[in-house]
Amino acid sequence: MTEIDLSIRDLKRHFAAKSLSPLEYWLALEPHIAAWEPHIAALYLYDPDAARAQAKASTERWTKGETLGPLDGIPVTLKELISTKGQPVPLGTRAMELTPALDDAPIAARMREDGAIIFAKTTCPDYGMLSSGLSSFHPLSRNPWDISQNPGGSSAGASAAAAAGYGPLHIGTDIGGSVRLPAGWTGIFGFKPSHGRIPVDPYYVGRCAGPMTRTVDDAALAMATLSRTDWRDGTSLPPNDIDWTDLDIDLSGMRIGLMLDAGCGLDAEDEVKAAVVAAAKQFERAGAVIVPVGPVLSRAMLDGLDNFWRARFWGDIEGLSEERRESILPYIYGWAKGGADVSGVAAVKGFNQTIEMRKACGALFETVDAVLSPTNPIVSYPAEWASPTNDPARPFEHIAFTVPWNMSEQPASSINCGFSRSGMPIGLQIVGPRFDDMRVLRLSKAFETWSGGVTAWPKPPVS
């Protein structure tokens, strides 16, 4: 490992032993970020001066033995949608007025309480409505494995920053796969916990937040901070006494479903299916019983969700001036305008399809203890595309493996399970029962241990 590749656990050990300080680590990270950022454009409001001041203050706390919490001195980025007091929240679009946020969102507040170094926000597409690094406000974010390719989204900058090694911890948000999809395309670990496990503001149906890291252990360590309750999220779960570091698991006799058909949307490519099947065989060798299972999603469910989201989004933006609406990314604006023609009855029927997803997922988990599937159906797509289809009439064809678990409120992760012939990462999705976040983390850790994780990370392009 190089000095910048240290995990949260490694960093804390060095900080405690005084063999490396938070300031020294940050100063080593700065030139690494400087080498990468012109190529992948992952960051918004990057402030190295403020980061140095935070790192210096953390160093003094470690010297005195007066640390604030388990993430003291750990650099972290927050997705741009997560409010930080005094800074604007453009929501990835030129349509927003750049008004400073009045308060820290729950995640930002927890990070500050524990002494983490918030050194930047990360980019996202307009309103977080794309699985892409394309935005009308931010520069085009790119995939560190191949900068001609897309990092996915909507947590685009977070995934790119994690894959490029901008420190060990990055926080994204996920309403249909926006943590897991980019994690799969950039080879990192992305964890969407049970709905409400990490409080968010504003909260909404299916909307979660989660850590995006290079290792399962780093994500698990972050959960102790992220999962503290906050009254602002009316869906947040009660206080927990989970030992997030207890990642051992016995797979003997565990029934794990293998889902290779999402039911609709883009078919999984052969390379993707082969990598997921190979991963399933590793679980089988460890004692699990692998059970082929059918899809939980249907075309009616996905189209209904499309109608509901269009109507909801049009309701959000129809009050903007025509000039501001026209400044939204054309792909998203063109899709949203269809919401004006969705009747109230059709919108409610669309919303009701989220209940059908929940019922289908619940029925499946009466027969299995966990589910394995592809995270993304395809290996990659161009950086300049708004989605894997690049067609606003078919906007959600790529989320069929991920979106049901948002609506069923179940925990799910994406972990690297191999590489395509073109050298791009392939993501394995692991899904657990509602509220059993530890099962997903433990299964992810087991797989990471068997596979050795990503043994080599992308190198900065030559300027």
Side-chain angles (χ1 to χ4, degrees), residues 34 90 145 162 167 181 224 351 361-362 394 398:
W145 289 96
L181 293 165
F351 173 80
C361 294
R394 303 169 63 228
H398 58 288

Side-chain angles (χ1 to χ4, degrees), residues 210-257:
M212 304 176 73
T213 60
R214 284 185 163 191
T215 69
V216 177
D217 193 53
D218 279 345
L221 286 169
M223 285 300 297
T225 297
L226 292 168
S227 65
R228 293 204 297 270
T229 58
D230 192 296
W231 68 268
R232 290 173 288 177
D233 186 343
T235 67
S236 62
L237 298 179
N240 68 79
D241 58 358
I242 298 170
D243 180 358
W244 294 99
T245 64
D246 180 10
L247 297 178
D248 292 334
I249 191 170
D250 181 0
L251 279 79
S252 301
M254 181 178 287
R255 287 175 59 84
I256 299 180

Side-chain angles (χ1 to χ4, degrees), residues 1-16:
M1 276 191 171
T2 64
E3 191 174 40
I4 61 156
D5 284 327
L6 298 172
S7 68
I8 293 175
R9 194 181 300 276
D10 290 334
L11 286 170
K12 291 175 65 174
R13 186 174 64 250
H14 280 297
F15 295 166

Side-chain angles (χ1 to χ4, degrees), residues 4 7 24 112-113 219 312 324 407 410 414 454 460-461:
I4 61 156
S7 68
E24 289 169 333
R112 294 197 206 279
E113 288 166 4
R312 172 183 174 262
R324 285 195 174 275
M407 302 310 152
Q410 294 175 232
S414 178
V454 179

Side-chain angles (χ1 to χ4, degrees), residues 86-176:
Q87 295 181 320
V89 186
L91 304 180
T93 179
R94 290 191 293 119
M96 287 293 293
E97 295 185 26
L98 297 182
T99 304
L102 297 178
D103 294 293
D104 283 334
I107 291 165
R110 299 297 89 75
M111 289 292 148
R112 294 197 206 279
E113 288 166 4
D114 277 8
I117 299 168
I118 302 174
F119 67 89
K121 309 295 278 295
T122 49
T123 61
C124 66
D126 294 52
Y127 298 96
M129 289 303 299
L130 293 178
S131 189
S132 176
L134 186 63
S135 162
S136 67
F137 179 82
H138 299 294
L140 178 65
S141 297
R142 297 175 177 272
N143 194 320
W145 289 96
D146 180 345
I147 61 173
S148 75
Q149 298 299 291
N150 212 295
S154 61
S155 303
S159 65
Y166 289 17
L169 182 58
H170 309 271
I171 312 301
T173 62
D174 186 319
I175 199 171

